[in-house]
Every structure is written in C-alpha cells, then in structure tokens.
Amino acid sequence: MKLAKYIDHTILNADATQTDVDKVINEAIEYDFASVCINPYWVKHTAEALKASDVNTCTVIGFPLGATSTQSKVLEAKQAIVDGADELDMVINIGELKEHHDDAVLADIKAVAEAVHAEGKLLKVIIETSLLNEEEKVRACQLSEKAGSDYVKTSTGFSTAGAKVEDVKLMRETVGDRLGVKASGGVHSKAEAEAMIAAGASRIGASASVKIVTED
C-alpha cells in the first residue's frame, strides 16, 4: 500500500478556519490520503467536498479529554454519521481506566461502537498513551478490543506527548492482527511515519502529511 493511504490528514486545532479546512481537503484529494480528520463541526462541509473522491471523512468524539458522558459521546457520534463521517476516533475515559473502573471504560466504548457499527462505520479508540503506564496501555487496548473497536490509536496530539514507536509496538503486540493501530501526534517526517508502520501502525494521524509523502 502506498504511504499516502496510511495517512489521516488532520486539522483539529481550535482556531482552524474554513479556509484552513479547505486547504487540508484539497491536499487530501491531491495526494490521495486515507482520510481527512476534522472536528465534528466541519464534518458536513468536509464530507460534501470529498464526495467525488475515495478519501474518507474522519472525525473525533469526546475530544480531546474523553471525560464527557457516554450519552454525549453516542449523540456526538450519531450526529457525525448523519453529517457524513466514515470514521470516528473517540477518546476513552482516561481517569476511569487509571482508577481500574474497567466496566465503565468498557461500557463507554461499547456504546459508541454499537452506534458507529449500526451505520456501518469505523471506530478508532484513542487511549492517550502519554498519560498511561505500560499496564494501562495494554488494558486500554484489551478493553477497546472487547468493546468492539476497529482500531486503537495512540494519542490525541493535544496531551503531553504524541505517538512513540515503542507504544505502537506494544499496542500491536496486544491486539495482534485483529485490530488496526493508529499512530497519531508528533509524526512529522517520512522516516518517522515509516518507523511507525514498521512497528505495527496501520494508520498514521498527521498534519505534516504533505511533507511526509513528498520527502525524498
């Protein structure tokens, strides 16, 4: 698979304007990235703009903290799908994971997974690796798989650190070939993207996507 098709071309900053979003959409079409990942407000606009391409519309749920109610995550996911989202990246309840309230974490993911899969869409679960120890990372992946996620994802890109090769490797070892693994946050070069893929990433979240695919 060509490198571009590993990449979710991402613009999630709070001050992104329509002009900024349109630039990302046009780049995604030109370079044939896997998806454009935007905040929920921009889903309808993005899905409409990508309609004639094979680039998916990806959005984020419970972003960036994961500490919203399950009901609001489900409603947000359902609305995003109505607006045209193909892929949804949700943030787990990190505090509940750290407190070992695994039933709460599982129920949270499962409710969103069911809403997403009822419409035939794809769910990625952001575990925010920079806030977790190794045991928590493994448990987060196991709970995501048990709850019905399609992917586990390293990071929001808005916490203390982004994707690390060792985390991608650990996540891939935990989920085997049963789930996808998305490395997101801090991937700025072709070499870094290729290192993530070599470690087991099947998707990359990046805002430096054009630089990644045009570097020699």
mmCIF file of all heavy atoms in Angstrom, residues 96-102 105 133-144 174:
data_model
loop_
_atom_site.group_PDB
_atom_site.id
_atom_site.type_symbol
_atom_site.label_atom_id
_atom_site.label_comp_id
_atom_site.label_asym_id
_atom_site.label_seq_id
_atom_site.Cartn_x
_atom_site.Cartn_y
_atom_site.Cartn_z
ATOM 1 N N GLU A 96 -11.132 6.963 34.470
ATOM 2 C CA GLU A 96 -11.762 5.698 34.885
ATOM 3 C C GLU A 96 -10.844 4.503 34.596
ATOM 4 O O GLU A 96 -10.803 3.551 35.378
ATOM 5 C CB GLU A 96 -13.112 5.521 34.184
ATOM 6 C CG GLU A 96 -14.207 6.455 34.689
ATOM 7 C CD GLU A 96 -14.699 6.116 36.097
ATOM 8 O OE1 GLU A 96 -13.886 6.142 37.053
ATOM 9 O OE2 GLU A 96 -15.914 5.828 36.232
ATOM 10 N N LEU A 97 -10.086 4.561 33.513
ATOM 11 C CA LEU A 97 -9.116 3.499 33.240
ATOM 12 C C LEU A 97 -8.059 3.463 34.343
ATOM 13 O O LEU A 97 -7.726 2.387 34.863
ATOM 14 C CB LEU A 97 -8.444 3.726 31.880
ATOM 15 C CG LEU A 97 -7.410 2.654 31.528
ATOM 16 C CD1 LEU A 97 -8.056 1.446 30.864
ATOM 17 C CD2 LEU A 97 -6.299 3.208 30.641
ATOM 18 N N LYS A 98 -7.549 4.620 34.711
ATOM 19 C CA LYS A 98 -6.486 4.684 35.719
ATOM 20 C C LYS A 98 -6.990 4.247 37.091
ATOM 21 O O LYS A 98 -6.221 3.741 37.915
ATOM 22 C CB LYS A 98 -5.890 6.096 35.775
ATOM 23 C CG LYS A 98 -5.174 6.490 34.484
ATOM 24 C CD LYS A 98 -4.453 7.808 34.578
ATOM 25 C CE LYS A 98 -3.110 7.710 35.248
ATOM 26 N NZ LYS A 98 -2.103 6.948 34.468
ATOM 27 N N GLU A 99 -8.282 4.420 37.333
ATOM 28 C CA GLU A 99 -8.896 4.016 38.608
ATOM 29 C C GLU A 99 -9.278 2.533 38.601
ATOM 30 O O GLU A 99 -9.836 2.018 39.572
ATOM 31 C CB GLU A 99 -10.141 4.875 38.849
ATOM 32 C CG GLU A 99 -10.683 4.876 40.263
ATOM 33 C CD GLU A 99 -9.837 5.672 41.237
ATOM 34 O OE1 GLU A 99 -9.138 6.614 40.802
ATOM 35 O OE2 GLU A 99 -9.871 5.360 42.433
ATOM 36 N N HIS A 100 -8.985 1.852 37.489
ATOM 37 C CA HIS A 100 -9.345 0.436 37.319
ATOM 38 C C HIS A 100 -10.863 0.217 37.289
ATOM 39 O O HIS A 100 -11.338 -0.870 37.637
ATOM 40 C CB HIS A 100 -8.691 -0.447 38.395
ATOM 41 C CG HIS A 100 -7.216 -0.640 38.182
ATOM 42 N ND1 HIS A 100 -6.693 -1.720 37.518
ATOM 43 C CD2 HIS A 100 -6.153 0.140 38.526
ATOM 44 C CE1 HIS A 100 -5.363 -1.617 37.470
ATOM 45 N NE2 HIS A 100 -5.022 -0.496 38.072
ATOM 46 N N HIS A 101 -11.606 1.217 36.878
ATOM 47 C CA HIS A 101 -13.049 1.050 36.680
ATOM 48 C C HIS A 101 -13.282 0.550 35.252
ATOM 49 O O HIS A 101 -13.843 1.247 34.407
ATOM 50 C CB HIS A 101 -13.780 2.374 36.955
ATOM 51 C CG HIS A 101 -13.743 2.788 38.383
ATOM 52 N ND1 HIS A 101 -14.101 4.059 38.807
ATOM 53 C CD2 HIS A 101 -13.387 2.113 39.516
ATOM 54 C CE1 HIS A 101 -13.971 4.137 40.120
ATOM 55 N NE2 HIS A 101 -13.537 2.978 40.573
ATOM 56 N N ASP A 102 -12.819 -0.683 35.017
ATOM 57 C CA ASP A 102 -12.811 -1.225 33.663
ATOM 58 C C ASP A 102 -14.213 -1.393 33.084
ATOM 59 O O ASP A 102 -14.411 -1.248 31.869
ATOM 60 C CB ASP A 102 -12.067 -2.567 33.633
ATOM 61 C CG ASP A 102 -10.566 -2.398 33.824
ATOM 62 O OD1 ASP A 102 -10.110 -1.251 34.043
ATOM 63 O OD2 ASP A 102 -9.837 -3.408 33.750
ATOM 64 N N VAL A 105 -15.187 1.895 31.564
ATOM 65 C CA VAL A 105 -14.438 2.145 30.328
ATOM 66 C C VAL A 105 -15.009 1.290 29.187
ATOM 67 O O VAL A 105 -15.250 1.773 28.081
ATOM 68 C CB VAL A 105 -12.927 1.847 30.522
ATOM 69 C CG1 VAL A 105 -12.167 2.037 29.205
ATOM 70 C CG2 VAL A 105 -12.344 2.731 31.614
ATOM 71 N N ASN A 133 0.697 4.186 32.034
ATOM 72 C CA ASN A 133 1.856 3.306 32.166
ATOM 73 C C ASN A 133 1.641 2.068 31.271
ATOM 74 O O ASN A 133 0.604 1.945 30.618
ATOM 75 C CB ASN A 133 2.107 2.926 33.634
ATOM 76 C CG ASN A 133 0.944 2.140 34.243
ATOM 77 O OD1 ASN A 133 0.289 1.350 33.570
ATOM 78 N ND2 ASN A 133 0.694 2.350 35.535
ATOM 79 N N GLU A 134 2.621 1.191 31.237
ATOM 80 C CA GLU A 134 2.556 0.069 30.295
ATOM 81 C C GLU A 134 1.340 -0.825 30.554
ATOM 82 O O GLU A 134 0.635 -1.225 29.623
ATOM 83 C CB GLU A 134 3.845 -0.759 30.351
ATOM 84 C CG GLU A 134 3.894 -1.816 29.253
ATOM 85 C CD GLU A 134 5.291 -2.347 28.994
ATOM 86 O OE1 GLU A 134 6.236 -1.549 28.889
ATOM 87 O OE2 GLU A 134 5.415 -3.575 28.878
ATOM 88 N N GLU A 135 1.089 -1.130 31.827
ATOM 89 C CA GLU A 135 -0.065 -1.985 32.162
ATOM 90 C C GLU A 135 -1.367 -1.335 31.711
ATOM 91 O O GLU A 135 -2.267 -2.009 31.185
ATOM 92 C CB GLU A 135 -0.087 -2.235 33.680
ATOM 93 C CG GLU A 135 -1.198 -3.156 34.168
ATOM 94 C CD GLU A 135 -2.532 -2.451 34.430
ATOM 95 O OE1 GLU A 135 -2.522 -1.251 34.773
ATOM 96 O OE2 GLU A 135 -3.589 -3.099 34.271
ATOM 97 N N GLU A 136 -1.473 -0.027 31.889
ATOM 98 C CA GLU A 136 -2.691 0.697 31.498
ATOM 99 C C GLU A 136 -2.868 0.717 29.984
ATOM 100 O O GLU A 136 -3.994 0.614 29.474
ATOM 101 C CB GLU A 136 -2.649 2.130 32.057
ATOM 102 C CG GLU A 136 -2.826 2.178 33.571
ATOM 103 C CD GLU A 136 -2.400 3.501 34.186
ATOM 104 O OE1 GLU A 136 -1.702 4.300 33.527
ATOM 105 O OE2 GLU A 136 -2.770 3.737 35.358
ATOM 106 N N LYS A 137 -1.760 0.836 29.258
ATOM 107 C CA LYS A 137 -1.822 0.819 27.785
ATOM 108 C C LYS A 137 -2.358 -0.530 27.292
ATOM 109 O O LYS A 137 -3.228 -0.588 26.414
ATOM 110 C CB LYS A 137 -0.441 1.082 27.182
ATOM 111 C CG LYS A 137 0.073 2.494 27.383
ATOM 112 C CD LYS A 137 1.557 2.601 27.013
ATOM 113 C CE LYS A 137 2.137 3.906 27.527
ATOM 114 N NZ LYS A 137 3.609 3.993 27.349
ATOM 115 N N VAL A 138 -1.828 -1.591 27.880
ATOM 116 C CA VAL A 138 -2.277 -2.946 27.491
ATOM 117 C C VAL A 138 -3.759 -3.125 27.828
ATOM 118 O O VAL A 138 -4.551 -3.594 26.998
ATOM 119 C CB VAL A 138 -1.414 -4.023 28.192
ATOM 120 C CG1 VAL A 138 -2.026 -5.416 28.005
ATOM 121 C CG2 VAL A 138 0.024 -3.989 27.660
ATOM 122 N N ARG A 139 -4.135 -2.719 29.021
ATOM 123 C CA ARG A 139 -5.530 -2.869 29.459
ATOM 124 C C ARG A 139 -6.481 -2.034 28.583
ATOM 125 O O ARG A 139 -7.571 -2.480 28.221
ATOM 126 C CB ARG A 139 -5.642 -2.502 30.946
ATOM 127 C CG ARG A 139 -6.953 -2.906 31.594
ATOM 128 C CD ARG A 139 -6.806 -3.062 33.117
ATOM 129 N NE ARG A 139 -5.949 -2.073 33.726
ATOM 130 C CZ ARG A 139 -6.349 -0.859 34.130
ATOM 131 N NH1 ARG A 139 -7.614 -0.507 34.015
ATOM 132 N NH2 ARG A 139 -5.489 -0.016 34.678
ATOM 133 N N ALA A 140 -6.041 -0.835 28.227
ATOM 134 C CA ALA A 140 -6.861 0.025 27.359
ATOM 135 C C ALA A 140 -7.088 -0.630 25.999
ATOM 136 O O ALA A 140 -8.199 -0.594 25.453
ATOM 137 C CB ALA A 140 -6.190 1.383 27.188
ATOM 138 N N CYS A 141 -6.046 -1.254 25.469
ATOM 139 C CA CYS A 141 -6.179 -1.958 24.183
ATOM 140 C C CYS A 141 -7.107 -3.168 24.312
ATOM 141 O O CYS A 141 -7.948 -3.405 23.435
ATOM 142 C CB CYS A 141 -4.812 -2.407 23.680
ATOM 143 S SG CYS A 141 -3.752 -1.058 23.122
ATOM 144 N N GLN A 142 -6.940 -3.906 25.388
ATOM 145 C CA GLN A 142 -7.786 -5.093 25.606
ATOM 146 C C GLN A 142 -9.253 -4.707 25.755
ATOM 147 O O GLN A 142 -10.147 -5.360 25.183
ATOM 148 C CB GLN A 142 -7.301 -5.857 26.832
ATOM 149 C CG GLN A 142 -5.950 -6.540 26.632
ATOM 150 C CD GLN A 142 -5.347 -7.075 27.913
ATOM 151 O OE1 GLN A 142 -5.678 -6.614 29.015
ATOM 152 N NE2 GLN A 142 -4.444 -8.040 27.792
ATOM 153 N N LEU A 143 -9.511 -3.640 26.497
ATOM 154 C CA LEU A 143 -10.889 -3.175 26.690
ATOM 155 C C LEU A 143 -11.475 -2.652 25.374
ATOM 156 O O LEU A 143 -12.644 -2.890 25.074
ATOM 157 C CB LEU A 143 -10.937 -2.094 27.770
ATOM 158 C CG LEU A 143 -10.699 -2.573 29.201
ATOM 159 C CD1 LEU A 143 -10.441 -1.397 30.136
ATOM 160 C CD2 LEU A 143 -11.881 -3.402 29.713
ATOM 161 N N SER A 144 -10.655 -1.964 24.589
ATOM 162 C CA SER A 144 -11.105 -1.449 23.289
ATOM 163 C C SER A 144 -11.503 -2.605 22.377
ATOM 164 O O SER A 144 -12.549 -2.553 21.709
ATOM 165 C CB SER A 144 -9.995 -0.629 22.630
ATOM 166 O OG SER A 144 -9.669 0.493 23.417
ATOM 167 N N THR A 174 -0.420 -6.362 21.574
ATOM 168 C CA THR A 174 -1.613 -6.610 22.391
ATOM 169 C C THR A 174 -2.816 -7.001 21.542
ATOM 170 O O THR A 174 -3.563 -7.913 21.902
ATOM 171 C CB THR A 174 -1.950 -5.367 23.242
ATOM 172 O OG1 THR A 174 -0.802 -5.017 24.026
ATOM 173 C CG2 THR A 174 -3.118 -5.640 24.176
#
